[in-house]
Amino acid sequence: MSRQQAAIESTPSKEAREHVWNLFRRWGFLQANLDPLGGLEPVAMPELEVGGPEAEAARRVYCGTIGAEFMHIADGERRAWVQKRMESEAPRVDRAKILERLVRAEIFEQVLQTRYLGTKRYSLEGEAALIPLLDAILNAAAEQGAEQAVLAMSHRGRLNVMTHIIGRPAAEIFARFEDVDPRSVLGGGDVKYHMGATGEFQAANGRTLGTHLVSNPSHLEAVDPVANGRARAKQTRLGKAGKRAVLAVIMHGDAAFAGQGVWAETLNMAGVAGFNVGGSVHIIVNNLIGFTTVPRDCHSSRFSSDLAKRLPIPIFHVNAEDPDAVARVGRIALEYRYTFESPVVVDLIGYRRHGHSEVDDPTITQPRRYRKIEAHPPLWKIYAAEIGADAEPVVEQVREELDAAQKEALELEKSPPMRQLPPYWNAYRGGRYDASLEVSTGVPQTELAGAGEAIARYPEGFHIHPKVKKLLEQRLEMARGKRAIDFGMAEALAFGSLLKQGVPVRLSGQDSRRGTFNQRHAALIDIETEEEFLPLQHLAPDQAWFEAYNSTLSEASVLGFEYGFSRDFPEALVLWEAQFGDFANGAQIMIDQFVVAGEDKWNLLSGLVLLLPHGYEGQGPEHSSARIERFLQLAARDHIQICQPSTAAQYFHLLRRQALRAWRKPLVVFTPKSMLRHPAASSSLAELSAPRFQTVIPDAGDGSAARVLLCTGKIGHELAAERKRRKDSSTAIIFLEQLYPIPEPELAAEMDRHAAAREFVWVQEEPANMGALAFLLPRLERLARGRPVLSVKRSASASPATGSHKAHEMEQHTLLALAFASPGRS
Ligand SMILES: Cc1ncc(C[n+]2csc(CCOP(=O)(O)OP(=O)(O)O)c2C)c(N)n1
């Protein structure tokens, strides 16, 4: 007998009992019976080698088919809550309903397997308990007052969830297997197990929950922040009640959960003001395999869920072959979310009956495990025997229903869309650009002055920082027309004028409240109290809402979140800002898979704005380029807009255009750094009152120039200064402000106006293999009508810019010299 055992048996005091229970509360999950196939060996724990009735009782609670990890939570109230739920008697569950759910889940897969042999569907078999788990979660959510659930998941079991939880008719799934309408998606569309779906869930208490499964790409976990952003937007629509009314449920594969950083980034946002969704419910659909890779090669920890312990949130591991325990855990998890507005993780441990997809043979890599699986009956059979029920009538009925659904699908001419857009999308459209979409974006000077005064105002007694005070005084002068308007003020006026027109504005990014370049000051900070004041929230009583958030230091999750937000708030101007444009490549998956391709794949629109500081200023390889070339490579079918406004007024009109046009397309804006306050890029109030954004800024001359330089952004101002210094009157400079959709009529008109020009020269700061050159050259050549189009650029390079400031200056000097070199020599 160990010393510990002896001590406990000789002194059965309350403290000793508590001590034993605490050992199991802390470590019991390591010896819980979690793997239906018995592969997950219990961990030898000397702490748990205690005997006696208390230990037996504690072992029954904590080493059964539920393994609860919660003792890492510092908040005693939360620990006590989980403890109470674990240690109280398991509530009764509706076993007949659970059995029916299991039968439906498995027979659905079997029917698809026999009818469409050799087609990938990513079966849920081996994890069928996911359906009763989601059922328990949504039923409990309905009791808590939830009205909508935003669900996200990858491939595994997705078709099953669409049918049995989201509520889409099985005929729609069959229609996709039959591929009844291939012409409708030529060159576009997406595979069936990525599609979004909208439906309704009938809860046991009589309430109906709106359900939506978010469209998602193959890139595992990329959908996580998107789903949360969508939930946040839906919550924002409902005001204070939003967090209770809208629930996010995100499902993960075990390999992806452990391996993909975007999920870790998303979890890190859970408690941050701008990104909180009142707690999302996470389910790891844990089949203890990732494609062909076993858990020990997928993560360094025992459980794939360990990363979740970065936050003080509970993790409930549950054996997927104990459906009663699964249903119980679902309810506990959901109620924890609602009690503490906290994320919560359910780790549903089962197996995968087939290969990664049904066309893959798993016996090559896991022969022993798959021999076991082959001999293992489906869960509904095990459960029916356990509860003494006859499942055959349900099986028959489900088969008949699915037969009928397939027949129905064969009669369809089109695959009906499984998702529906909410009515707030009615006023917006995508598709091709046409000029009739344009609206006036100018604002009368008197209104600008009024908005400007309000932007520069702060409450009496507010202790303002002297530097900010000066900036606000300057803004006041700008509003009164006594000082030229810089980019910071132009942006504030764009936001302010939109807010007054009823357009909400949401901005987030790293240090975006102050602005990386000290240019924004969206939130003023009292230097005595550190209280905040956001002038744009105090413009007028009937103004729209304004939110500006500093984000976590992440690109992928924050951009994903804002994309999600924009998907459910088309009426708002939603902006994500990169600290420097270079860092946007940390969010490349979001850009490629959602922002740019969303319309093509899913016919889903977004008006999200990406603000990407760009420009060569000698700050090294990573603070120069927002990779214009990459965005241009992605540009097709008018699905994104790519612009580089060269003046404050142009930025003002561009932002307003984005919000006021009915055309909802993502907008990539290359924003300035050194030009933020440069006189050449500043504007007058009159320019902000001008009718609209100019896609092309023509040269101010009479069109007689012998040589025409074409450019975009900062380099144009440098070219103009150089032209002045040289007293050159034979060179024209045209600014291309919108790189895509390429404004052909405007550009052609301006190039044609220069009838005497012998050549056109595209001038860019970027190396030859970057920037807009490769994209524009063939187009410019076409518009030049036979005249040569030359180019001036840095030499091709693998890295965007030099690390030496002096080298940068030498290069810049050479660029300008070449741009003004005599014809034919560039
Ligand atoms: C980011 C990313 N990398 C790789 C893949 C290819 N891939 C698709 S499924 C899969 C295995 C996923 O395993 P797991 O997360 O455990 O989910 P399961 O398929 O077992 O349900 C992999 C590697 C992918 N889709 N996304």
Side-chain angles (χ1 to χ4, degrees):
M1 185 183 287
S2 73
R3 270 205 355 243
Q4 209 172 16
Q5 263 176 317
I8 290 156
E9 285 186 10
S10 63
T11 56
S13 65
K14 195 172 169 228
E15 288 76 41
R17 283 206 309 272
E18 212 34 34
H19 174 68
V20 170
W21 276 92
N22 276 338
L23 289 171
F24 281 90
R25 285 167 192 148
R26 180 170 296 279
W27 304 117
F29 70 95
L30 292 171
Q31 295 190 347
N33 165 25
L34 299 175
D35 177 0
L37 300 182
L40 199 63
E41 293 289 330
V43 179
M45 293 294 293
E47 288 87 343
L48 299 184
E49 284 171 19
V50 282
E54 291 298 335
E56 270 172 38
R59 181 175 292 281
R60 268 197 303 278
V61 171
Y62 288 105
C63 301
T65 48
I66 301 174
E69 283 192 78
F70 65 105
M71 293 296 275
H72 59 285
I73 301 174
D75 180 348
E77 192 193 337
R78 295 182 186 212
R79 281 200 316 276
W81 190 97
V82 176
Q83 186 180 312
K84 187 161 171 226
R85 295 299 295 265
M86 287 295 292
E87 293 172 21
S88 51
E89 206 184 321
R92 288 168 64 88
V93 290
D94 184 344
R95 292 181 144 179
K97 184 81 198 293
I98 291 177
L99 178 62
E100 192 224 285
R101 293 304 232 168
L102 292 174
V103 168
R104 285 193 179 279
E106 300 238 12
I107 301 299
F108 175 78
E109 298 287 357
Q110 281 177 17
V111 167
L112 290 178
Q113 172 77 3
T114 41
R115 306 280 161 89
Y116 306 105
L117 197 66
T119 311
K120 290 183 194 177
R121 72 193 139 88
Y122 299 104
S123 158
L124 188 61
E125 289 156 281
E127 286 278 358
L130 176 65
I131 300 300
L133 174 61
L134 287 169
D135 207 51
I137 289 171
L138 295 188
N139 273 313
E143 288 167 26
Q144 296 289 333
E147 290 165 11
Q148 299 177 54
V150 176
L151 294 96
M153 69 189 300
S154 61
H155 50 288
R156 180 88 44 224
R158 191 176 170 99
L159 302 175
N160 214 310
V161 169
M162 281 175 172
T163 315
H164 297 120
I165 297 295
I166 302 297
R168 296 313 306 175
E172 293 179 0
I173 310 281
F174 283 113
R176 277 161 178 83
F177 276 92
E178 300 289 350
D179 216 351
V180 291
D181 184 25
R183 284 189 174 276
S184 66
V185 286
L186 277 175
D190 201 351
V191 291
K192 48 190 160 298
Y193 41 84
H194 288 167
M195 299 288 192
T198 317
E200 283 183 346
F201 177 86
Q202 298 303 332
N205 70 350
R207 290 183 68 138
T208 303
L209 233 68
T211 49
H212 183 72
L213 181 63
V214 180
S215 304
N216 88 151
S218 275
H219 294 63
L220 296 166
E221 303 297 329
V223 75
D224 302 350
V226 176
N228 274 350
R230 297 197 57 179
R232 171 80 177 214
K234 288 173 187 283
Q235 292 175 347
T236 304
R237 292 188 164 282
L238 300 174
K240 268 203 162 57
K243 288 213 165 73
R244 287 198 84 77
V246 183
L247 171 73
V249 180
I250 302 181
M251 287 156 268
H252 315 255
D254 49 310
F257 190 91
Q260 289 291 309
V262 65
W263 141 244
E265 292 182 19
T266 306
L267 183 63
N268 186 41
M269 296 155 80
V272 176
F275 308 91
N276 186 320
V277 294
S280 36
V281 174
H282 296 266
I283 302 170
I284 306 175
V285 186
N286 189 346
N287 49 25
L288 296 173
I289 195 160
F291 211 140
T292 65
T293 304
V294 290
R296 67 171 178 277
D297 293 330
C298 284
H299 41 91
S300 302
S301 48
R302 174 172 170 85
F303 291 106
S304 83
S305 59
D306 275 18
L307 185 75
K309 282 195 279 188
R310 70 173 294 167
L311 290 190
I313 61 176
I315 298 161
F316 298 97
H317 308 279
V318 59
N319 188 320
E321 280 204 348
D322 184 348
D324 293 358
V326 169
R328 180 180 174 200
V329 158
R331 177 167 283 275
I332 297 177
L334 187 284
E335 290 177 3
Y336 186 90
R337 182 278 187 199
Y338 271 87
T339 308
F340 300 107
E341 290 201 351
S342 157
V344 54
V345 177
V346 177
D347 181 18
L348 180 70
I349 303 182
Y351 61 94
R352 189 185 72 194
R353 178 161 294 281
H354 306 283
H356 172 61
S357 76
E358 293 64 34
V359 294
D360 206 75
D361 181 357
T363 63
I364 297 168
T365 45
Q366 280 81 24
R368 283 173 43 158
R369 187 169 168 86
Y370 274 85
R371 269 200 292 279
K372 252 192 204 172
I373 290 172
E374 208 171 331
H376 200 76
L379 181 53
W380 66 267
K381 280 194 181 164
I382 299 175
Y383 190 63
E386 204 176 289
I387 65 172
D390 177 10
E392 283 309 325
V394 191
V395 172
E396 269 320 295
Q397 188 196 333
V398 173
R399 283 193 191 283
E400 279 168 24
E401 283 174 23
L402 292 174
D403 273 350
Q406 192 189 14
K407 288 201 187 88
E408 200 184 314
L410 284 168
E411 280 159 22
L412 291 171
E413 276 170 24
K414 269 188 174 347
S415 293
M418 290 197 279
R419 55 123 192 88
Q420 278 132 29
L421 288 178
Y424 42 76
W425 272 100
N426 290 351
Y428 304 100
R429 51 157 287 196
R432 288 289 190 176
Y433 171 78
D434 72 74
S436 69
L437 292 160
E438 293 302 341
V439 293
S440 167
T441 53
V443 176
Q445 290 193 34
T446 47
E447 279 179 39
L448 288 171
E453 301 256 347
I455 285 161
R457 224 172 16 224
Y458 50 89
E460 216 163 296
F462 193 88
H463 306 98
I464 194 92
H465 191 286
K467 287 185 182 160
V468 180
K469 184 165 188 259
K470 191 165 167 230
L471 176 118
L472 294 179
E473 283 164 6
Q474 288 175 351
R475 286 193 173 171
L476 209 53
E477 289 174 31
M478 293 178 198
R480 292 173 180 165
K482 292 185 186 141
R483 177 185 275 273
I485 291 164
D486 63 13
F487 265 81
M489 181 61 166
E491 182 188 84
L493 286 170
F495 291 169
S497 56
L498 288 169
L499 292 168
K500 284 180 137 189
Q501 276 174 268
V503 177
V505 177
R506 175 183 162 99
L507 164 74
S508 89
Q510 290 152 31
D511 308 289
S512 286
R513 292 184 126 200
R514 192 204 68 176
T516 298
F517 312 102
N518 222 347
Q519 81 281 18
R520 183 168 293 122
H521 299 275
L524 310 180
I525 310 293
D526 185 305
I527 55 173
E528 300 292 331
T529 64
E530 290 199 358
E531 261 173 50
E532 293 172 351
F533 179 77
L534 282 73
L536 284 166
Q537 292 178 342
H538 302 274
L539 300 178
D542 58 347
Q543 71 168 89
W545 56 259
F546 172 73
E547 293 180 350
Y549 294 110
N550 285 343
S551 76
T552 55
L553 208 168
S554 150
E555 284 75 30
S557 64
V558 183
L559 175 54
F561 190 98
E562 298 305 344
Y563 168 80
F565 196 99
S566 75
R567 287 274 317 108
D568 278 285
F569 229 121
E571 323 87 293
L573 180 66
V574 184
L575 310 100
W576 172 75
E577 183 176 58
Q579 187 128 62
F580 283 84
D582 310 63
F583 300 119
N585 58 11
Q588 199 64 48
I589 293 175
M590 301 301 165
I591 293 167
D592 292 351
Q593 267 59 45
F594 289 97
V595 177
V596 178
E599 183 174 355
D600 214 55
K601 294 193 291 186
W602 311 313
N603 210 7
L604 294 177
L605 307 176
S606 159
L608 182 66
V609 180
L610 276 63
L611 300 178
L612 308 179
H614 173 86
Y616 281 59
E617 289 156 0
Q619 292 196 50
E622 279 91 42
H623 289 86
S624 299
S625 175
R627 302 286 193 169
I628 290 178
E629 64 280 1
R630 295 212 177 133
F631 289 96
L632 288 172
Q633 188 208 32
L634 296 170
R637 300 164 77 120
D638 297 349
H639 282 350
I640 48 169
Q641 310 164 82
I642 304 170
C643 295
Q644 181 158 224
S646 63
T647 69
Q650 281 281 87
Y651 183 44
F652 171 87
H653 288 292
L654 181 59
L655 293 176
R656 285 181 50 79
R657 184 183 84 167
Q658 180 69 358
L660 297 175
R661 279 196 313 211
W663 206 48
R664 278 294 167 273
K665 295 279 171 166
L667 167 64
V668 179
V669 188
F670 300 109
T671 55
K673 295 171 290 175
S674 68
M675 298 305 285
L676 280 166
R677 299 173 191 83
H678 199 283
S682 301
S683 304
S684 64
L685 278 175
E687 286 168 310
L688 271 61
S689 310
R692 59 179 55 97
F693 177 72
Q694 290 175 278
T695 52
V696 174
I697 300 184
D699 184 76
D702 60 6
S704 63
R707 202 152 183 268
V708 176
L709 307 182
L710 293 145
C711 60
T712 181
K714 171 176 82 79
I715 190 72
H717 293 300
E718 291 176 27
L719 290 170
E722 180 67 12
R723 179 173 62 180
K724 194 167 172 198
R725 195 184 66 76
R726 288 173 180 249
K727 298 193 175 66
D728 178 333
S729 57
S730 63
T731 306
I733 302 171
I734 301 173
F735 284 77
L736 186 56
E737 304 280 294
Q738 177 168 301
L739 296 162
Y740 191 82
I742 191 152
E744 284 206 14
E746 292 82 358
L747 191 54
E750 179 58 4
M751 287 169 79
D752 287 348
R753 189 171 74 89
H754 289 90
R758 287 190 300 277
E759 61 186 17
F760 294 94
V761 186
W762 174 256
V763 186
Q764 68 174 33
E765 296 183 293
E766 298 84 357
N769 53 328
M770 300 178 189
L773 177 61
F775 178 82
L776 285 178
L777 200 58
R779 291 159 172 92
L780 292 176
E781 277 171 347
R782 187 156 45 79
L783 298 179
R785 305 191 199 284
R787 290 175 284 178
V789 180
L790 311 173
S791 61
V792 172
K793 64 274 173 184
R794 283 179 163 80
S795 304
S797 167
S799 144
T802 171
S804 150
H805 193 79
K806 282 194 178 155
H808 161 78
E809 285 184 344
M810 287 162 71
E811 289 172 8
Q812 206 75 358
H813 184 79
T814 310
L815 277 186
L816 294 178
L818 284 173
F820 285 92
S822 55
R825 291 203 42 222
S826 56

